Amino acid sequence: MENQLRDDSGLLIDARLPSWHQKGTIPGSINIPFTVFEKSDLDPELISTFKRLGVTERQSKPGLVEKLLAAGEVNETWDFSNAKELILWCNGPWCGQSPRAIRGLLDHGYPPEKINYYRDGMQMWQILGLLTVQ
């Protein structure tokens, strides 16, 4: 993922609430709380966040050719053709914040092959003595 972070085709997402993020985070992470991905398609915060992730709102319904090329279901609200690869993480294996964010992303149609999960989260990061930033 290091290359994707460097060339801006990927993001490392701290899916915890801001109060957790302010206590310390993994370097290179951006804070997008899991609650954002649970919002409706019409919510301005979700729309803004999706733009940051390379997702755009469709201006028209997908055509037959696009549906055939997709070899699967095509989302009628969002265009994920330029969506970034994501790594989501939270406090650790016991924490449900990033799994909820991932469920929200999938519910909105985000491509599962572009979603990664760092299950160990902040807990193992700190146990391993790795750098954190505030």
Side-chain angles (χ1 to χ4, degrees), residues 1 14 26 46 78 81 88 94 107 114-115 120 131 133:
M1 187 67 175
D14 179 346
I26 295 172
L46 179 70
W78 303 108
S81 57
L88 290 97
W94 52 270
D107 287 348
K114 292 189 176 194
I115 300 173
D120 291 339
L131 178 69
V133 294

Side-chain angles (χ1 to χ4, degrees), residues 7-91:
D7 70 12
D8 199 35
S9 65
L11 292 170
L12 184 58
I13 298 176
D14 179 346
R16 302 175 302 161
L17 295 173
S19 59
W20 284 101
H21 176 77
Q22 291 168 357
K23 294 175 186 176
T25 192
I26 295 172
S29 295
I30 60 169
N31 184 224
I32 304 175
F34 70 95
T35 54
V36 171
F37 301 113
E38 295 177 334
K39 295 181 181 284
S40 82
D41 285 339
L42 302 174
D43 188 281
E45 188 176 12
L46 179 70
I47 294 168
S48 171
T49 298
F50 268 5
K51 285 181 185 174
R52 192 172 186 188
L53 303 183
V55 179
T56 56
E57 290 181 81
R58 287 195 178 276
Q59 301 305 310
S60 59
K61 293 195 181 266
L64 179 61
V65 173
E66 184 178 359
K67 288 180 180 179
L68 291 172
L69 291 174
E73 192 172 319
V74 177
N75 188 287
E76 297 203 1
T77 304
W78 303 108
D79 179 357
F80 294 100
S81 57
N82 294 314
K84 295 182 181 194
E85 187 167 347
L86 310 176
I87 295 180
L88 290 97
W89 63 273
C90 53
N91 286 311

